[in-house]
mmCIF file of all heavy atoms in Angstrom:
data_model
loop_
_atom_site.group_PDB
_atom_site.id
_atom_site.type_symbol
_atom_site.label_atom_id
_atom_site.label_comp_id
_atom_site.label_asym_id
_atom_site.label_seq_id
_atom_site.Cartn_x
_atom_site.Cartn_y
_atom_site.Cartn_z
ATOM 1 N N TYR F 1165 197.159 -5.385 272.578
ATOM 2 C CA TYR F 1165 197.605 -5.621 273.960
ATOM 3 C C TYR F 1165 198.235 -7.009 274.087
ATOM 4 O O TYR F 1165 199.214 -7.206 274.803
ATOM 5 C CB TYR F 1165 196.436 -5.439 274.938
ATOM 6 C CG TYR F 1165 195.986 -4.001 274.990
ATOM 7 C CD1 TYR F 1165 194.836 -3.587 274.319
ATOM 8 C CD2 TYR F 1165 196.730 -3.043 275.683
ATOM 9 C CE1 TYR F 1165 194.438 -2.259 274.340
ATOM 10 C CE2 TYR F 1165 196.341 -1.717 275.708
ATOM 11 C CZ TYR F 1165 195.198 -1.328 275.038
ATOM 12 O OH TYR F 1165 194.814 -0.007 275.064
ATOM 13 N N GLU F 1166 197.648 -7.990 273.369
ATOM 14 C CA GLU F 1166 198.213 -9.343 273.421
ATOM 15 C C GLU F 1166 199.617 -9.346 272.820
ATOM 16 O O GLU F 1166 200.524 -9.995 273.338
ATOM 17 C CB GLU F 1166 197.306 -10.333 272.665
ATOM 18 C CG GLU F 1166 196.126 -10.783 273.516
ATOM 19 C CD GLU F 1166 195.016 -11.423 272.694
ATOM 20 O OE1 GLU F 1166 195.203 -11.657 271.474
ATOM 21 O OE2 GLU F 1166 193.939 -11.669 273.282
ATOM 22 N N SER F 1167 199.768 -8.614 271.718
ATOM 23 C CA SER F 1167 201.071 -8.570 271.055
ATOM 24 C C SER F 1167 202.106 -7.865 271.952
ATOM 25 O O SER F 1167 203.262 -8.309 272.068
ATOM 26 C CB SER F 1167 200.905 -7.849 269.711
ATOM 27 O OG SER F 1167 202.132 -7.490 269.193
ATOM 28 N N MET F 1168 201.693 -6.765 272.594
ATOM 29 C CA MET F 1168 202.608 -6.067 273.520
ATOM 30 C C MET F 1168 203.008 -7.001 274.668
ATOM 31 O O MET F 1168 204.177 -7.102 275.025
ATOM 32 C CB MET F 1168 201.939 -4.803 274.082
ATOM 33 C CG MET F 1168 201.819 -3.667 273.063
ATOM 34 S SD MET F 1168 200.517 -2.462 273.470
ATOM 35 C CE MET F 1168 201.177 -1.650 274.910
ATOM 36 N N ARG F 1169 202.020 -7.702 275.212
ATOM 37 C CA ARG F 1169 202.298 -8.594 276.342
ATOM 38 C C ARG F 1169 203.108 -9.815 275.912
ATOM 39 O O ARG F 1169 203.914 -10.334 276.683
ATOM 40 C CB ARG F 1169 200.984 -9.047 277.002
ATOM 41 C CG ARG F 1169 200.352 -7.995 277.897
ATOM 42 C CD ARG F 1169 199.113 -8.571 278.585
ATOM 43 N NE ARG F 1169 199.434 -9.748 279.372
ATOM 44 C CZ ARG F 1169 199.722 -9.725 280.677
ATOM 45 N NH1 ARG F 1169 199.702 -8.587 281.348
ATOM 46 N NH2 ARG F 1169 200.005 -10.845 281.323
ATOM 47 N N TYR F 1170 202.874 -10.283 274.692
ATOM 48 C CA TYR F 1170 203.602 -11.462 274.188
ATOM 49 C C TYR F 1170 205.115 -11.262 274.340
ATOM 50 O O TYR F 1170 205.828 -12.122 274.847
ATOM 51 C CB TYR F 1170 203.242 -11.716 272.717
ATOM 52 C CG TYR F 1170 204.058 -12.814 272.068
ATOM 53 C CD1 TYR F 1170 203.739 -14.156 272.274
ATOM 54 C CD2 TYR F 1170 205.171 -12.508 271.269
ATOM 55 C CE1 TYR F 1170 204.503 -15.167 271.693
ATOM 56 C CE2 TYR F 1170 205.935 -13.508 270.691
ATOM 57 C CZ TYR F 1170 205.604 -14.832 270.904
ATOM 58 O OH TYR F 1170 206.367 -15.826 270.333
ATOM 59 N N SER F 1171 205.600 -10.104 273.901
ATOM 60 C CA SER F 1171 207.052 -9.874 273.975
ATOM 61 C C SER F 1171 207.486 -9.418 275.369
ATOM 62 O O SER F 1171 208.555 -9.798 275.846
ATOM 63 C CB SER F 1171 207.477 -8.825 272.941
ATOM 64 O OG SER F 1171 207.295 -9.340 271.642
ATOM 65 N N LEU F 1172 206.644 -8.600 276.001
ATOM 66 C CA LEU F 1172 207.021 -8.072 277.322
ATOM 67 C C LEU F 1172 207.131 -9.192 278.355
ATOM 68 O O LEU F 1172 208.008 -9.157 279.220
ATOM 69 C CB LEU F 1172 205.981 -7.030 277.780
ATOM 70 C CG LEU F 1172 206.347 -6.231 279.019
ATOM 71 C CD1 LEU F 1172 207.587 -5.360 278.772
ATOM 72 C CD2 LEU F 1172 205.175 -5.349 279.461
ATOM 73 N N MET F 1173 206.239 -10.196 278.254
ATOM 74 C CA MET F 1173 206.206 -11.253 279.265
ATOM 75 C C MET F 1173 206.942 -12.511 278.800
ATOM 76 O O MET F 1173 206.696 -13.597 279.309
ATOM 77 C CB MET F 1173 204.742 -11.589 279.639
ATOM 78 C CG MET F 1173 203.922 -10.408 280.139
ATOM 79 S SD MET F 1173 204.714 -9.425 281.436
ATOM 80 C CE MET F 1173 204.800 -10.610 282.781
ATOM 81 N N ALA F 1174 207.841 -12.352 277.818
ATOM 82 C CA ALA F 1174 208.512 -13.534 277.238
ATOM 83 C C ALA F 1174 209.797 -13.889 277.965
ATOM 84 O O ALA F 1174 210.632 -14.611 277.430
ATOM 85 C CB ALA F 1174 208.795 -13.280 275.755
ATOM 86 N N GLY F 1175 209.966 -13.425 279.173
ATOM 87 C CA GLY F 1175 211.190 -13.755 279.914
ATOM 88 C C GLY F 1175 212.256 -12.705 279.683
ATOM 89 O O GLY F 1175 211.949 -11.518 279.597
ATOM 90 N N GLY F 1176 213.476 -13.135 279.553
ATOM 91 C CA GLY F 1176 214.568 -12.149 279.475
ATOM 92 C C GLY F 1176 215.150 -11.993 280.869
ATOM 93 O O GLY F 1176 214.504 -12.328 281.875
ATOM 94 N N LYS F 1177 216.323 -11.451 280.938
ATOM 95 C CA LYS F 1177 217.030 -11.384 282.220
ATOM 96 C C LYS F 1177 216.502 -10.280 283.121
ATOM 97 O O LYS F 1177 216.805 -10.244 284.290
ATOM 98 C CB LYS F 1177 218.536 -11.145 281.946
ATOM 99 C CG LYS F 1177 219.192 -12.313 281.207
ATOM 100 C CD LYS F 1177 220.667 -12.059 280.935
ATOM 101 C CE LYS F 1177 220.937 -11.102 279.772
ATOM 102 N NZ LYS F 1177 220.452 -11.562 278.456
#
Side-chain angles (χ1 to χ4, degrees):
Y1165 293 102
E1166 279 163 8
S1167 165
M1168 287 158 69
R1169 283 184 58 94
Y1170 174 80
S1171 293
L1172 189 64
M1173 303 311 295
K1177 295 180 283 298

